[in-house]
Amino acid sequence: MSAAAQIGVTGLAVMGRNLARNFARNGYTVAVHNRTAARTRALVEEFGHEGEFVGTESAEDFVAALERPRRLVVMVKAGEPTDAVIREFAPLLEPGDMIVDGGNAHFADTRRRERELREQGIHFVGTGVSGGEEGALNGPSIMPGGSKESYEALGPMLEKISAKAADGSPCTAHIGPDGAGHFVKMVHNGIEYADMQLIAEAYQLLRDVAGYSPAEIADIFRTWNTGRLDSYLIDITAEVLAHVDAATGEPFVDVVQDQAEQKGTGRWTVQIALDLGVPVSGIAEAVFARSLSGHQDLRDASRGLAGPKAEPLGKAEAAAFADQVEQALYASKIVSYTQGFHEIAAGSDAYDWDIDLGRVASIWRGGCIIRAAFLDRIRAAYDARAELPSLLADESFAREIGEAQDDWRAVLVAATRQGVPAPGFAAALAYYDALRADRLPAALTQGQRDYFGAHTYRRTDREGSFHTLWGGDRSEVSA
Protein backbone atom coordinates (compact mmCIF):
# COMPACT_ATOMS: atom_id res chain seq x y z
CA MET A 1 0.00 0.00 0.00
CA SER A 2 1.47 3.36 -0.99
CA ALA A 3 1.66 6.11 1.60
CA ALA A 4 -1.26 8.50 1.08
CA ALA A 5 -2.72 9.46 4.43
CA GLN A 6 -1.48 12.49 6.34
CA ILE A 7 -2.73 11.11 9.64
CA GLY A 8 -4.12 7.86 10.98
CA VAL A 9 -6.56 6.94 13.75
CA THR A 10 -6.68 3.53 15.38
CA GLY A 11 -9.49 2.77 17.80
CA LEU A 12 -12.81 3.65 16.21
CA ALA A 13 -15.24 3.81 19.10
CA VAL A 14 -17.26 7.02 19.26
CA MET A 15 -14.40 9.38 20.13
CA GLY A 16 -11.93 7.86 17.67
CA ARG A 17 -14.48 7.69 14.87
CA ASN A 18 -15.52 11.30 15.36
CA LEU A 19 -11.94 12.52 15.55
CA ALA A 20 -11.15 10.72 12.28
CA ARG A 21 -14.19 12.33 10.66
CA ASN A 22 -13.09 15.73 11.97
CA PHE A 23 -9.68 15.35 10.29
CA ALA A 24 -11.34 14.22 7.04
CA ARG A 25 -13.84 17.07 7.08
CA ASN A 26 -10.93 19.48 7.35
CA GLY A 27 -9.31 18.22 4.18
CA TYR A 28 -6.90 15.60 5.47
CA THR A 29 -6.63 12.09 4.11
CA VAL A 30 -7.13 9.81 7.10
CA ALA A 31 -6.06 6.20 7.48
CA VAL A 32 -8.41 4.35 9.81
CA HIS A 33 -7.88 1.09 11.67
CA ASN A 34 -9.64 -0.89 14.37
CA ARG A 35 -9.01 -4.21 16.05
CA THR A 36 -12.41 -5.27 14.69
CA ALA A 37 -12.17 -4.67 10.95
CA ALA A 38 -15.95 -4.49 10.56
CA ARG A 39 -15.95 -1.21 12.46
CA THR A 40 -13.38 0.21 10.04
CA ARG A 41 -15.45 -0.78 7.03
CA ALA A 42 -18.60 0.65 8.63
CA LEU A 43 -16.96 4.04 9.15
CA VAL A 44 -15.79 4.27 5.54
CA GLU A 45 -19.17 3.15 4.19
CA GLU A 46 -21.21 5.49 6.38
CA PHE A 47 -19.04 8.59 6.37
CA GLY A 48 -16.87 8.22 3.28
CA HIS A 49 -18.70 11.14 1.67
CA GLU A 50 -17.29 13.50 4.33
CA GLY A 51 -13.70 13.27 3.12
CA GLU A 52 -10.85 10.97 2.15
CA PHE A 53 -10.48 7.82 4.24
CA VAL A 54 -8.07 4.94 3.73
CA GLY A 55 -9.54 1.86 5.36
CA THR A 56 -6.97 -0.67 6.60
CA GLU A 57 -7.33 -4.01 8.32
CA SER A 58 -3.81 -4.92 9.44
CA ALA A 59 -1.32 -2.97 11.51
CA GLU A 60 1.19 -3.24 8.68
CA ASP A 61 -1.21 -1.80 6.11
CA PHE A 62 -2.22 0.98 8.48
CA VAL A 63 1.39 2.08 9.03
CA ALA A 64 2.20 1.74 5.33
CA ALA A 65 -0.70 4.04 4.46
CA LEU A 66 0.80 6.95 6.43
CA GLU A 67 3.12 9.51 4.90
CA ARG A 68 6.24 10.40 6.86
CA PRO A 69 6.68 11.54 9.49
CA ARG A 70 3.90 9.17 10.41
CA ARG A 71 1.24 10.60 12.71
CA LEU A 72 -0.58 7.72 14.40
CA VAL A 73 -3.43 8.69 16.74
CA VAL A 74 -4.41 6.08 19.35
CA MET A 75 -7.98 6.30 20.67
CA VAL A 76 -8.36 3.29 22.97
CA LYS A 77 -8.96 2.81 26.68
CA ALA A 78 -6.29 4.12 29.03
CA GLY A 79 -3.93 1.74 30.78
CA GLU A 80 -2.98 -1.68 29.44
CA PRO A 81 -5.03 -1.35 26.19
CA THR A 82 -2.92 1.70 25.28
CA ASP A 83 0.31 -0.13 26.11
CA ALA A 84 -0.85 -3.07 23.97
CA VAL A 85 -1.43 -0.81 20.96
CA ILE A 86 2.00 0.80 21.44
CA ARG A 87 3.64 -2.63 21.57
CA GLU A 88 1.86 -3.55 18.34
CA PHE A 89 2.73 -0.45 16.33
CA ALA A 90 6.06 0.84 17.67
CA PRO A 91 8.14 -1.90 15.95
CA LEU A 92 6.60 -0.88 12.61
CA LEU A 93 7.57 2.78 12.93
CA GLU A 94 10.80 4.61 12.13
CA PRO A 95 12.71 7.38 13.89
CA GLY A 96 10.89 10.68 13.61
CA ASP A 97 7.43 9.06 13.50
CA MET A 98 4.96 9.83 16.27
CA ILE A 99 2.32 8.07 18.32
CA VAL A 100 -0.39 10.40 19.61
CA ASP A 101 -2.35 9.15 22.63
CA GLY A 102 -5.69 10.95 22.67
CA GLY A 103 -7.15 8.99 25.58
CA ASN A 104 -7.55 9.97 29.23
CA ALA A 105 -4.20 8.54 30.27
CA HIS A 106 -2.59 9.13 33.63
CA PHE A 107 0.23 11.60 33.04
CA ALA A 108 2.74 9.33 34.83
CA ASP A 109 2.03 6.61 32.26
CA THR A 110 2.51 9.19 29.52
CA ARG A 111 5.89 10.21 30.96
CA ARG A 112 6.97 6.55 31.00
CA ARG A 113 5.79 5.90 27.44
CA GLU A 114 7.41 9.08 26.14
CA ARG A 115 10.73 8.12 27.73
CA GLU A 116 10.64 4.56 26.38
CA LEU A 117 9.70 5.57 22.83
CA ARG A 118 12.18 8.45 22.78
CA GLU A 119 14.93 5.83 23.14
CA GLN A 120 13.66 4.33 19.88
CA GLY A 121 13.59 7.70 18.13
CA ILE A 122 9.77 7.79 18.15
CA HIS A 123 7.89 10.84 19.41
CA PHE A 124 5.13 10.10 21.91
CA VAL A 125 2.54 12.86 22.17
CA GLY A 126 0.24 12.54 25.19
CA THR A 127 -2.75 14.60 24.16
CA GLY A 128 -5.73 15.66 26.25
CA VAL A 129 -8.92 15.98 24.20
CA SER A 130 -11.93 17.66 25.81
CA GLY A 131 -15.40 18.19 24.46
CA GLY A 132 -16.89 14.71 24.39
CA GLU A 133 -18.06 13.06 21.21
CA GLU A 134 -19.55 16.30 19.86
CA GLY A 135 -16.28 18.14 20.42
CA ALA A 136 -14.26 15.36 18.78
CA LEU A 137 -16.39 15.77 15.66
CA ASN A 138 -16.91 19.51 15.50
CA GLY A 139 -13.88 20.92 17.32
CA PRO A 140 -12.50 19.99 20.76
CA SER A 141 -10.05 21.70 23.04
CA ILE A 142 -6.79 19.83 22.50
CA MET A 143 -3.90 19.71 24.98
CA PRO A 144 -0.83 18.04 23.41
CA GLY A 145 2.38 17.37 25.30
CA GLY A 146 5.57 15.88 23.94
CA SER A 147 8.53 17.30 22.09
CA LYS A 148 8.56 20.63 20.28
CA GLU A 149 9.60 18.78 17.12
CA SER A 150 6.47 16.64 17.20
CA TYR A 151 4.28 19.72 17.57
CA GLU A 152 5.89 21.30 14.50
CA ALA A 153 4.65 18.35 12.44
CA LEU A 154 1.36 17.74 14.24
CA GLY A 155 0.36 21.14 15.61
CA PRO A 156 -0.96 22.74 12.39
CA MET A 157 -3.33 19.80 11.94
CA LEU A 158 -4.56 20.00 15.53
CA GLU A 159 -5.04 23.75 15.20
CA LYS A 160 -7.20 23.20 12.13
CA ILE A 161 -9.52 20.62 13.71
CA SER A 162 -9.74 22.23 17.14
CA ALA A 163 -12.51 24.47 18.41
CA LYS A 164 -12.05 28.16 17.82
CA ALA A 165 -12.46 30.80 20.52
CA ALA A 166 -14.64 33.86 19.90
CA ASP A 167 -11.62 35.74 18.58
CA GLY A 168 -10.86 32.94 16.10
CA SER A 169 -7.88 31.53 18.00
CA PRO A 170 -7.49 27.74 17.84
CA CYS A 171 -8.17 26.00 21.14
CA THR A 172 -4.94 24.06 21.14
CA ALA A 173 -1.26 24.77 21.81
CA HIS A 174 1.87 22.89 22.76
CA ILE A 175 1.52 22.49 26.53
CA GLY A 176 4.98 21.19 27.38
CA PRO A 177 7.21 18.08 27.41
CA ASP A 178 6.24 14.45 28.03
CA GLY A 179 3.17 14.27 30.35
CA ALA A 180 2.30 17.98 30.44
CA GLY A 181 -0.68 17.66 28.10
CA HIS A 182 -2.32 14.84 30.00
CA PHE A 183 -1.57 16.57 33.31
CA VAL A 184 -3.39 19.72 32.17
CA LYS A 185 -6.30 17.61 30.89
CA MET A 186 -6.46 15.86 34.28
CA VAL A 187 -6.71 19.18 36.11
CA HIS A 188 -9.27 20.39 33.56
CA ASN A 189 -11.41 17.43 34.57
CA GLY A 190 -10.87 18.17 38.25
CA ILE A 191 -12.12 21.72 37.74
CA GLU A 192 -15.02 20.22 35.79
CA TYR A 193 -15.94 18.07 38.81
CA ALA A 194 -15.90 21.13 41.07
CA ASP A 195 -17.88 23.25 38.61
CA MET A 196 -20.57 20.59 38.28
CA GLN A 197 -20.80 20.13 42.05
CA LEU A 198 -21.19 23.86 42.64
CA ILE A 199 -23.92 24.07 40.01
CA ALA A 200 -25.68 21.09 41.60
CA GLU A 201 -25.52 22.75 45.03
CA ALA A 202 -26.95 25.97 43.58
CA TYR A 203 -29.81 23.92 42.11
CA GLN A 204 -30.56 22.20 45.41
CA LEU A 205 -30.50 25.47 47.34
CA LEU A 206 -32.84 27.10 44.83
CA ARG A 207 -35.18 24.14 45.05
CA ASP A 208 -35.14 23.28 48.76
CA VAL A 209 -34.60 26.72 50.30
CA ALA A 210 -36.10 29.08 47.71
CA GLY A 211 -38.85 26.61 46.76
CA TYR A 212 -38.47 26.88 42.98
CA SER A 213 -39.49 24.08 40.62
CA PRO A 214 -36.96 22.56 38.19
CA ALA A 215 -38.54 24.47 35.30
CA GLU A 216 -38.28 27.74 37.22
CA ILE A 217 -34.67 26.99 38.11
CA ALA A 218 -33.99 26.33 34.42
CA ASP A 219 -35.16 29.88 33.69
CA ILE A 220 -32.90 31.23 36.43
CA PHE A 221 -29.92 29.40 34.95
CA ARG A 222 -30.76 30.75 31.49
CA THR A 223 -30.70 34.26 32.92
CA TRP A 224 -27.37 33.59 34.64
CA ASN A 225 -25.99 32.32 31.36
CA THR A 226 -26.43 35.77 29.82
CA GLY A 227 -24.05 37.31 32.37
CA ARG A 228 -20.75 36.57 34.03
CA LEU A 229 -21.65 32.89 34.59
CA ASP A 230 -21.95 32.36 30.82
CA SER A 231 -20.59 28.85 30.26
CA TYR A 232 -21.29 25.52 28.60
CA LEU A 233 -22.14 23.84 31.92
CA ILE A 234 -24.64 26.52 32.95
CA ASP A 235 -26.20 26.28 29.49
CA ILE A 236 -26.70 22.51 29.56
CA THR A 237 -27.88 22.63 33.18
CA ALA A 238 -30.81 24.77 32.07
CA GLU A 239 -31.61 22.23 29.35
CA VAL A 240 -31.47 19.30 31.77
CA LEU A 241 -33.68 21.05 34.34
CA ALA A 242 -36.26 22.05 31.72
CA HIS A 243 -36.54 18.52 30.34
CA VAL A 244 -39.70 16.55 31.19
CA ASP A 245 -39.58 12.75 31.28
CA ALA A 246 -41.78 11.37 28.50
CA ALA A 247 -42.73 8.21 30.38
CA THR A 248 -43.93 9.84 33.61
CA GLY A 249 -44.52 13.50 32.82
CA GLU A 250 -42.29 14.32 35.78
CA PRO A 251 -39.26 16.61 35.68
CA PHE A 252 -36.40 14.58 34.23
CA VAL A 253 -34.17 15.40 37.20
CA ASP A 254 -36.69 13.72 39.53
CA VAL A 255 -36.62 10.36 37.75
CA VAL A 256 -32.82 10.07 37.67
CA GLN A 257 -31.23 8.22 40.60
CA ASP A 258 -29.25 10.66 42.74
CA GLN A 259 -26.00 8.73 42.38
CA ALA A 260 -23.25 10.43 40.35
CA GLU A 261 -20.60 8.20 38.83
CA GLN A 262 -17.00 9.05 37.93
CA LYS A 263 -14.27 7.70 35.67
CA GLY A 264 -11.28 8.67 37.80
CA THR A 265 -9.69 11.85 36.45
CA GLY A 266 -11.15 13.98 39.24
CA ARG A 267 -9.81 11.50 41.76
CA TRP A 268 -6.38 11.67 40.09
CA THR A 269 -6.45 15.46 40.37
CA VAL A 270 -6.90 15.23 44.13
CA GLN A 271 -4.36 12.44 44.57
CA ILE A 272 -1.68 14.31 42.63
CA ALA A 273 -2.49 17.55 44.48
CA LEU A 274 -1.79 15.71 47.73
CA ASP A 275 1.55 14.52 46.32
CA LEU A 276 2.41 18.08 45.29
CA GLY A 277 1.17 19.59 48.56
CA VAL A 278 -1.37 21.78 46.77
CA PRO A 279 -4.74 22.47 48.48
CA VAL A 280 -7.59 21.69 46.07
CA SER A 281 -10.29 21.38 48.70
CA GLY A 282 -13.13 22.40 46.36
CA ILE A 283 -12.20 19.75 43.81
CA ALA A 284 -11.78 17.18 46.60
CA GLU A 285 -15.24 17.95 47.98
CA ALA A 286 -16.71 17.43 44.52
CA VAL A 287 -15.05 14.01 44.27
CA PHE A 288 -16.20 13.06 47.77
CA ALA A 289 -19.74 14.25 47.03
CA ARG A 290 -19.95 11.84 44.11
CA SER A 291 -18.53 9.07 46.28
CA LEU A 292 -21.04 9.74 49.07
CA SER A 293 -23.94 9.75 46.62
CA GLY A 294 -23.11 6.18 45.63
CA HIS A 295 -23.11 4.75 49.19
CA GLN A 296 -26.82 3.98 49.18
CA ASP A 297 -26.77 1.65 52.18
CA LEU A 298 -25.05 4.28 54.29
CA ARG A 299 -27.51 6.95 53.16
CA ASP A 300 -30.52 4.72 53.80
CA ALA A 301 -29.28 3.98 57.31
CA SER A 302 -28.82 7.69 58.04
CA ARG A 303 -32.07 9.22 56.75
CA GLY A 304 -33.61 9.27 60.23
CA LEU A 305 -30.84 11.34 61.80
CA ALA A 306 -31.96 14.52 63.55
CA GLY A 307 -31.75 17.81 61.70
CA PRO A 308 -33.84 20.61 60.19
CA LYS A 309 -36.05 20.23 57.16
CA ALA A 310 -35.92 22.99 54.58
CA GLU A 311 -38.83 25.43 54.64
CA PRO A 312 -39.31 27.18 51.27
CA LEU A 313 -39.16 30.96 51.31
CA GLY A 314 -41.83 33.39 50.20
CA LYS A 315 -41.77 34.75 46.65
CA ALA A 316 -39.91 38.00 47.36
CA GLU A 317 -37.46 36.32 49.71
CA ALA A 318 -36.86 33.55 47.17
CA ALA A 319 -35.92 36.04 44.44
CA ALA A 320 -33.47 37.79 46.77
CA PHE A 321 -32.00 34.44 47.81
CA ALA A 322 -31.53 33.44 44.16
CA ASP A 323 -29.41 36.55 43.66
CA GLN A 324 -27.31 35.56 46.67
CA VAL A 325 -26.85 32.04 45.27
CA GLU A 326 -25.59 33.54 42.01
CA GLN A 327 -22.96 35.47 43.98
CA ALA A 328 -21.98 32.36 45.94
CA LEU A 329 -21.74 30.27 42.79
CA TYR A 330 -19.58 32.81 41.01
CA ALA A 331 -17.23 33.29 43.96
CA SER A 332 -16.89 29.53 44.50
CA LYS A 333 -16.23 29.05 40.79
CA ILE A 334 -13.34 31.52 40.95
CA VAL A 335 -11.89 29.53 43.83
CA SER A 336 -12.16 26.25 41.87
CA TYR A 337 -10.22 27.69 38.95
CA THR A 338 -7.73 29.25 41.37
CA GLN A 339 -7.04 25.84 42.90
CA GLY A 340 -6.80 24.15 39.49
CA PHE A 341 -4.33 26.67 38.07
CA HIS A 342 -2.29 26.45 41.28
CA GLU A 343 -1.98 22.69 40.76
CA ILE A 344 -0.93 23.16 37.13
CA ALA A 345 1.73 25.68 38.21
CA ALA A 346 2.99 23.29 40.91
CA GLY A 347 3.11 20.38 38.46
CA SER A 348 4.95 22.53 35.95
CA ASP A 349 7.58 23.40 38.55
CA ALA A 350 7.89 19.83 39.83
CA TYR A 351 8.36 18.29 36.38
CA ASP A 352 10.16 21.22 34.70
CA TRP A 353 7.45 21.70 32.07
CA ASP A 354 7.37 25.53 31.86
CA ILE A 355 3.59 25.59 31.25
CA ASP A 356 2.14 28.93 30.16
CA LEU A 357 -0.97 29.35 32.34
CA GLY A 358 -2.38 32.11 30.16
CA ARG A 359 -2.15 29.81 27.16
CA VAL A 360 -3.96 27.06 29.06
CA ALA A 361 -6.81 29.46 29.85
CA SER A 362 -6.85 30.52 26.21
CA ILE A 363 -7.31 27.01 24.81
CA TRP A 364 -10.06 26.25 27.33
CA ARG A 365 -12.20 29.07 25.91
CA GLY A 366 -13.82 26.79 23.34
CA GLY A 367 -14.55 23.12 22.76
CA CYS A 368 -13.95 21.85 26.29
CA ILE A 369 -16.50 21.07 29.00
CA ILE A 370 -15.45 23.93 31.29
CA ARG A 371 -15.45 26.57 28.56
CA ALA A 372 -16.72 29.81 30.06
CA ALA A 373 -16.75 33.50 29.24
CA PHE A 374 -14.55 34.44 32.18
CA LEU A 375 -11.64 32.36 30.84
CA ASP A 376 -10.83 35.39 28.69
CA ARG A 377 -10.23 37.30 31.92
CA ILE A 378 -8.16 34.48 33.40
CA ARG A 379 -6.01 34.48 30.26
CA ALA A 380 -5.59 38.25 30.52
CA ALA A 381 -4.63 38.02 34.19
CA TYR A 382 -1.83 35.53 33.52
CA ASP A 383 -0.72 37.34 30.36
CA ALA A 384 -0.34 40.52 32.41
CA ARG A 385 1.50 38.74 35.24
CA ALA A 386 3.03 35.43 34.22
CA GLU A 387 4.13 34.80 37.82
CA LEU A 388 0.71 35.59 39.30
CA PRO A 389 0.68 33.47 42.50
CA SER A 390 -3.09 33.05 42.51
CA LEU A 391 -6.14 34.26 40.63
CA LEU A 392 -7.19 35.82 43.94
CA ALA A 393 -4.12 38.04 43.68
CA ASP A 394 -5.52 39.55 40.49
CA GLU A 395 -7.10 42.90 41.33
CA SER A 396 -10.25 42.31 39.25
CA PHE A 397 -11.04 38.86 40.65
CA ALA A 398 -10.14 39.93 44.20
CA ARG A 399 -12.59 42.83 43.95
CA GLU A 400 -15.40 40.64 42.63
CA ILE A 401 -14.96 37.94 45.23
CA GLY A 402 -14.83 40.62 47.94
CA GLU A 403 -18.11 42.07 46.69
CA ALA A 404 -19.68 38.60 46.67
CA GLN A 405 -18.57 37.43 50.10
CA ASP A 406 -21.47 38.77 52.19
CA ASP A 407 -24.01 36.95 50.00
CA TRP A 408 -21.74 33.90 49.86
CA ARG A 409 -21.70 33.73 53.64
CA ALA A 410 -25.47 34.33 53.85
CA VAL A 411 -26.12 31.42 51.50
CA LEU A 412 -24.04 29.10 53.67
CA VAL A 413 -25.82 30.30 56.81
CA ALA A 414 -29.16 29.53 55.13
CA ALA A 415 -27.92 26.14 53.96
CA THR A 416 -26.74 25.25 57.46
CA ARG A 417 -29.93 26.40 59.15
CA GLN A 418 -32.12 24.60 56.63
CA GLY A 419 -30.04 21.41 56.64
CA VAL A 420 -29.15 21.55 52.94
CA PRO A 421 -25.65 20.22 52.21
CA ALA A 422 -23.37 22.62 50.34
CA PRO A 423 -19.86 21.17 50.75
CA GLY A 424 -18.48 22.80 47.62
CA PHE A 425 -19.59 26.29 48.59
CA ALA A 426 -18.32 25.75 52.14
CA ALA A 427 -14.93 24.41 51.06
CA ALA A 428 -14.44 27.31 48.67
CA LEU A 429 -15.24 29.88 51.35
CA ALA A 430 -13.01 28.15 53.90
CA TYR A 431 -10.15 28.25 51.39
CA TYR A 432 -10.73 31.97 50.80
CA ASP A 433 -10.84 32.72 54.52
CA ALA A 434 -7.73 30.64 55.19
CA LEU A 435 -5.76 32.53 52.55
CA ARG A 436 -6.72 35.94 53.92
CA ALA A 437 -6.20 35.05 57.61
CA ASP A 438 -3.43 36.80 59.55
CA ARG A 439 -2.78 33.65 61.59
CA LEU A 440 -3.81 30.05 61.11
CA PRO A 441 -4.23 27.39 63.82
CA ALA A 442 -1.36 25.53 62.14
CA ALA A 443 0.82 27.00 64.92
CA LEU A 444 -1.06 24.85 67.44
CA THR A 445 -0.89 21.84 65.14
CA GLN A 446 2.89 22.19 64.89
CA GLY A 447 3.10 22.54 68.67
CA GLN A 448 1.20 19.28 69.07
CA ARG A 449 3.56 17.58 66.61
CA ASP A 450 6.55 18.78 68.58
CA TYR A 451 4.99 17.53 71.83
CA PHE A 452 4.28 13.95 70.75
CA GLY A 453 6.94 13.44 68.10
CA ALA A 454 9.72 16.00 68.61
CA HIS A 455 9.07 17.25 65.08
CA THR A 456 10.42 20.72 65.96
CA TYR A 457 8.98 24.11 65.02
CA ARG A 458 10.08 27.48 63.71
CA ARG A 459 9.64 30.70 65.69
CA THR A 460 8.29 34.08 64.61
CA ASP A 461 11.04 36.03 66.41
CA ARG A 462 14.27 34.34 65.27
CA GLU A 463 15.66 31.95 62.65
CA GLY A 464 16.23 28.24 63.12
CA SER A 465 14.37 25.10 64.16
CA PHE A 466 13.51 24.47 67.81
CA HIS A 467 12.20 21.73 70.08
CA THR A 468 10.66 22.10 73.53
CA LEU A 469 11.53 19.47 76.13
CA TRP A 470 7.93 18.82 77.15
CA GLY A 471 7.39 17.86 80.78
CA GLY A 472 9.58 19.00 83.63
CA ASP A 473 10.98 22.49 83.03
CA ARG A 474 9.85 22.53 79.38
CA SER A 475 13.07 24.15 78.27
CA GLU A 476 13.67 24.97 74.61
CA VAL A 477 16.59 23.64 72.61
CA SER A 478 17.78 24.33 69.08
CA ALA A 479 17.17 21.44 66.76
Side-chain angles (χ1 to χ4, degrees):
M1 180 178 291
S2 59
Q6 293 144 300
I7 196 160
V9 178
T10 181
L12 302 177
V14 175
M15 285 291 289
R17 179 187 66 194
N18 282 3
L19 202 61
R21 292 171 61 196
N22 190 350
F23 279 115
R25 287 176 169 189
N26 278 281
Y28 297 108
T29 299
V30 186
V32 287
H33 170 269
N34 195 76
R35 184 172 57 85
T36 305
R39 183 169 284 180
T40 305
R41 292 192 293 269
L43 185 151
V44 176
E45 290 171 5
E46 187 173 355
F47 302 109
H49 63 281
E50 294 183 340
E52 294 295 326
F53 294 99
V54 179
T56 64
E57 297 194 2
S58 71
E60 292 76 11
D61 284 348
F62 180 55
V63 170
L66 298 172
E67 67 178 27
R68 297 209 61 208
R70 298 182 180 94
R71 307 168 185 89
L72 192 160
V73 181
V74 177
M75 297 298 293
V76 301
K77 290 182 179 180
E80 173 55 28
T82 298
D83 283 323
V85 170
I86 292 170
R87 288 194 297 269
E88 180 179 12
F89 283 101
L92 306 176
L93 301 178
E94 300 174 77
D97 292 344
M98 66 194 73
I99 295 176
V100 183
D101 177 13
N104 265 336
H106 194 290
F107 80 96
D109 288 337
T110 300
R111 299 190 77 209
R112 168 181 57 80
R113 292 162 183 155
E114 193 276 338
R115 182 176 59 251
E116 293 170 351
L117 289 171
R118 190 192 328 140
E119 294 173 355
Q120 304 174 44
I122 298 170
H123 297 283
F124 187 75
V125 185
T127 303
V129 180
S130 178
E133 57 187 85
E134 180 183 350
L137 180 62
N138 298 314
S141 176
I142 309 175
M143 294 151 263
S147 67
K148 291 181 179 179
E149 294 81 2
S150 65
Y151 193 79
E152 289 174 2
L154 179 67
M157 301 179 73
L158 298 183
E159 290 168 13
K160 193 167 184 180
I161 71 159
S162 73
K164 305 301 183 290
D167 61 5
S169 301
C171 292
T172 187
H174 182 235
I175 300 298
D178 55 70
H182 274 142
F183 187 94
V184 167
K185 175 57 164 57
M186 174 192 74
V187 176
H188 164 283
N189 285 21
I191 296 172
E192 176 187 313
Y193 273 54
D195 216 343
M196 293 173 69
Q197 175 64 24
L198 293 170
I199 290 170
E201 290 178 19
Y203 152 74
Q204 188 165 17
L205 287 163
L206 291 172
R207 188 160 192 189
D208 291 352
V209 177
Y212 289 116
S213 69
E216 290 171 326
I217 300 171
D219 288 337
I220 292 171
F221 273 86
R222 289 192 182 104
T223 299
W224 288 353
N225 204 45
T226 63
R228 61 185 182 177
L229 283 171
D230 177 13
S231 67
Y232 173 73
L233 283 171
I234 293 290
D235 183 38
I236 67 168
T237 297
E239 293 299 310
V240 172
L241 289 172
H243 183 54
V244 175
D245 178 59
T248 64
E250 297 294 321
F252 170 77
V253 73
D254 286 346
V255 301
V256 177
Q257 282 192 345
D258 59 341
Q259 298 180 9
E261 299 176 358
Q262 52 186 310
K263 291 187 175 180
T265 46
R267 197 161 54 239
W268 292 347
T269 305
V270 177
Q271 290 168 342
I272 300 305
L274 290 170
D275 293 340
L276 293 170
V278 176
V280 293
S281 50
I283 297 172
E285 283 295 349
V287 174
F288 289 137
R290 292 197 190 189
S291 298
L292 187 149
S293 75
H295 285 272
Q296 195 60 54
D297 290 347
L298 178 63
R299 294 173 61 198
D300 288 343
S302 305
R303 291 188 195 280
L305 292 175
K309 296 295 184 183
E311 294 290 338
L313 301 171
K315 187 174 181 180
E317 291 175 308
F321 183 71
D323 290 340
Q324 291 180 318
V325 172
E326 190 271 348
Q327 291 272 32
L329 177 56
Y330 183 70
S332 299
K333 185 182 179 80
I334 292 173
V335 168
S336 296
Y337 280 75
T338 296
Q339 293 180 353
F341 276 95
H342 184 192
E343 182 167 358
I344 293 173
S348 180
D349 289 343
Y351 300 107
D352 197 24
W353 285 331
D354 193 26
I355 296 175
D356 185 329
L357 299 181
R359 185 175 298 166
V360 171
S362 181
I363 68 174
W364 285 351
R365 292 179 298 159
C368 69
I369 302 302
I370 65 170
R371 59 186 183 267
F374 86 150
L375 278 160
D376 260 324
R377 294 177 51 214
I378 294 177
R379 178 196 59 169
Y382 282 114
D383 285 350
R385 290 177 61 191
E387 301 303 319
L388 189 70
S390 162
L391 283 178
L392 301 183
D394 175 75
E395 183 179 344
S396 174
F397 284 118
R399 182 179 64 254
E400 286 186 322
I401 208 166
E403 293 169 350
Q405 68 165 307
D406 287 346
D407 288 332
W408 194 6
R409 296 179 195 282
V411 165
L412 280 166
V413 168
T416 302
R417 285 178 173 169
Q418 299 265 34
V420 178
F425 283 178
L429 182 58
Y431 176 87
Y432 174 76
D433 281 339
L435 287 183
R436 67 182 194 84
D438 289 331
R439 292 273 293 171
L440 293 172
L444 176 59
T445 303
Q446 193 62 19
Q448 293 168 329
R449 295 182 75 244
D450 188 64
Y451 189 106
F452 66 69
H455 291 296
T456 76
Y457 53 87
R458 293 186 298 274
R459 296 180 59 92
T460 60
D461 56 353
R462 56 184 183 270
E463 295 295 322
S465 295
F466 300 89
H467 168 56
T468 294
L469 301 175
W470 297 99
D473 63 1
R474 296 187 180 178
S475 58
E476 180 184 87
V477 298
S478 295

